[in-house]
Amino acid sequence: MINEDGALMDAQSLRTRADRYVLGALRRERRVVFTKGSGSRLWDAEGREYLDAVSGTNGPAMVGHANPHVVAAVSAQMAELPSTFLIHDSVPVIRFAERISEISPTGPAKTFLCPGGGEAVEAAVKLAMRITGRNEVISLQGAYHGMSLATMSLGGLPALREWVPGGMRWPSFQQAPAPDPYRPVLVSDADWRPAAAALRAALDAGTYHQVAAVILEIVQGPGGHVELPGDYVREVADICRERGVLLIVDEVQTGLARCGALWACDLHGIRPDIVVIGKAFGGGTPFGAVIVRADLINDEIEASPWHILTFMNQPLQAAAGNAVLDVVETDQLVDRAVELGERARARFREMAKTYEVIGDVRGPGLFVGVDLVTDRSTREPASDACTQAWEHAMDIGLITWFGGSGNVLKFKPPLTSTDEEIERMLERAEAVIAFVETHVRASS
Ligand SMILES: Cc1ncc(COP(=O)(O)O)c(C=O)c1O
């Protein structure tokens, strides 16, 4: 590649300049500079090809990197009208909000667009406070809702939340126990009832007084693909409804076909008051949105400065969202997620007969997590071996990551992946698991 000065942009020079000028986060010693993406594949500055098993950062490439339909729609919108003054409306935004209202699990809804998932969670929480006139929010242990100061306070992953000196604690946000079927915190079996009872008691017995909302992910993605049991989710919906507490479902990772249903909410038939989306809807552009039951909103809220962002309700982002919705429909990606998810889970379960480190395989649709443990009886996370295995995955051209305690292999490729690409990703994932197995055995 040639840069503007005509100098050769070799991979080493790019890495050196990235080190010097780019402010990183989560930075690892191993540095890769990518130059191109198409569908499920990415190429680095050395021309090496990788398969992307996490769809960008777990979703923006759900319809594939540089999906031609999204590229055409965003390019056309860029040429026509990319932005407006923030209070004005535009055709793509109206169209997107209208389409969302038709399919949202909330029923008829209003939608507010913003640049990221965490920002949309903040918007949802502020709205819930404003609507109810209360200011407490309950989230779950193991939850991830973003990394702004307020969303860190909602998070239930200590390693992320405690990063700020003293730990991040919003005074009116608290966590309730989550019913993790594989690593239960309250009981020795996978019964969800104690967690529901703990939430009910917390609401009624005085720990919380002014609860505006409960927020949860149906499957805790960053927390390690923890699938909340359907009965628990339905019970929480009832608990909230009975008490006039709003239920916010964070579908930033799970929304739009990923889980083998249009929404993860649909897996359990719940109708939340507010839904938060992001990632996949942007097709690679920055994306977040809060979707709220239309009957909860009034003119006074909409006229107030409840959330003001330069990039709120902007046409470029909405054009991307509309194009992604088109692809999901025309390529029948809900069905594809069901089919590919079944294939992937079956393969990982088959691998579990060979590799003792596979403790659990879980997640709906093509939203799969493989929990890797040092010992199946103690379920101790194989976190150290997984840290080394990430390097190995990069060596063999598989882009993945480990969630939970750094031990849950993520497998959530673009839903547009071909059968052959999925097959190759599964082969490489097996090589990564074999690597973990070798390292766990060597250190035991
Ligand atoms: C469930 C969930 N909520 C919120 C967020 C935050 O989204 P963003 O990184 O776009 O702010 C994420 C990001 O990973 C997420 O997985």
Side-chain angles (χ1 to χ4, degrees):
M1 268 179 113
I2 304 294
N3 73 7
E4 292 137 17
D5 306 317
L8 188 65
M9 291 209 299
D10 67 279
Q12 187 50 47
S13 140
L14 283 166
R15 278 194 289 269
T16 306
R17 285 154 59 205
D19 276 343
R20 188 170 303 153
Y21 301 118
V22 179
L23 177 61
L26 262 189
R27 190 164 258 187
R28 296 289 178 273
E29 212 170 296
R30 167 119 183 198
R31 315 301 303 285
V32 186
V33 179
F34 284 103
T35 54
K36 186 176 165 56
S38 174
S40 302
R41 292 156 202 259
L42 290 170
W43 289 268
D44 71 14
E46 273 144 334
R48 290 191 62 222
E49 186 186 294
Y50 299 75
L51 286 168
D52 185 355
V54 286
S55 303
T57 306
N58 305 319
M62 190 189 82
V63 294
H65 291 278
N67 180 293
H69 185 65
V70 178
V71 171
V74 171
S75 307
Q77 193 62 47
M78 188 72 196
E80 188 75 19
L81 176 69
S83 71
T84 61
F85 184 73
L86 47 76
I87 66 163
H88 296 309
D89 291 311
S90 64
V91 176
V93 174
I94 296 167
R95 183 71 193 116
F96 182 75
E98 189 176 39
R99 291 173 84 177
I100 289 293
S101 181
E102 282 159 13
I103 60 173
S104 170
T106 55
K110 298 195 106 172
T111 296
F112 175 93
L113 292 166
C114 58
E119 208 150 26
V121 171
E122 295 242 10
V125 165
K126 283 164 87 175
L127 261 187
M129 290 176 174
R130 183 73 191 214
I131 290 166
T132 59
R134 307 177 210 135
N135 73 349
E136 293 182 10
V137 179
I138 300 177
S139 55
L140 296 185
Q141 289 165 7
Y144 182 86
H145 297 296
M147 285 296 279
S148 65
L149 289 175
T151 53
M152 273 173 90
S153 309
L154 289 172
L157 295 169
L160 296 179
R161 180 170 149 146
E162 303 305 322
W163 176 84
V164 171
M168 202 52 232
R169 300 277 184 282
W170 199 269
S172 59
F173 296 174
Q174 301 200 52
Q175 272 80 53
D180 178 344
Y182 188 62
R183 292 194 182 81
V185 286
L186 288 174
V187 280
S188 57
D189 62 19
D191 190 356
W192 54 270
R193 287 177 194 82
L199 178 64
R200 200 179 298 104
L203 284 164
D204 296 343
T207 314
Y208 311 118
H209 304 284
Q210 292 288 320
V211 178
V214 169
I215 180 166
L216 52 79
E217 302 147 272
I218 305 282
V219 184
Q220 295 182 325
H225 283 244
V226 174
E227 285 183 86
L228 303 183
D231 286 338
Y232 170 80
V233 171
R234 282 185 289 273
E235 184 74 10
V236 172
D238 287 348
I239 290 171
C240 288
R241 192 171 314 108
E242 284 157 12
R243 290 160 180 77
V245 169
L246 299 180
L247 177 62
I248 304 173
V249 176
D250 180 341
E251 293 242 23
V252 169
Q253 275 211 51
T254 54
L256 199 60
R258 172 56 71 187
C259 293
L262 210 44
W263 307 94
C265 287
D266 296 345
L267 298 172
H268 306 312
I270 59 156
R271 293 176 77 77
D273 302 294
I274 301 178
V275 174
V276 183
I277 58 172
K279 297 190 188 275
F281 281 85
T285 65
F287 202 100
V290 53
I291 304 165
V292 55
R293 260 174 50 202
D295 61 293
L296 293 174
I297 299 297
N298 57 35
D299 292 348
E300 194 236 314
I301 292 176
E302 288 187 279
S304 75
W306 71 274
H307 208 50
I308 303 175
L309 306 168
T310 304
F311 288 101
M312 68 185 231
N313 293 333
Q314 292 299 299
L316 190 67
Q317 179 193 22
N322 282 317
V324 169
L325 285 173
D326 294 342
V327 176
V328 168
E329 260 171 53
T330 51
D331 290 8
Q332 302 183 333
L333 293 186
V334 172
D335 295 343
R336 189 70 179 148
V338 172
E339 183 194 337
L340 293 179
E342 277 168 8
R343 192 179 308 168
R345 274 185 305 280
R347 281 289 296 281
F348 285 121
R349 288 189 177 129
E350 191 58 34
M351 289 177 211
K353 294 179 185 157
T354 308
Y355 306 104
E356 282 282 309
V357 286
I358 298 183
D360 195 24
V361 177
R362 54 182 182 254
L366 195 57
F367 195 61
V368 180
V370 184
D371 200 315
L372 301 171
V373 296
T374 56
D375 180 336
R376 279 188 185 166
S377 60
T378 61
R379 303 181 178 183
E380 183 66 28
S383 313
D384 290 345
C386 290
T387 305
Q388 299 173 54
W390 175 77
E391 296 271 348
H392 182 63
M394 294 302 286
D395 285 343
I396 61 173
L398 184 73
I399 300 177
T400 185
W401 196 247
F402 295 90
S405 301
N407 70 306
V408 182
L409 177 78
K410 295 174 184 231
F411 194 81
K412 27 196 170 183
L415 301 181
T416 49
S417 303
T418 63
D419 288 352
E420 193 258 330
E421 285 165 341
I422 291 289
E423 196 48 44
R424 284 178 54 203
M425 284 189 225
L426 285 166
E427 282 164 13
R428 292 179 193 182
E430 178 165 2
V432 172
I433 292 167
F435 180 99
V436 173
E437 176 100 355
T438 305
H439 282 257
V440 165
R441 296 297 145 249
S443 58
S444 65

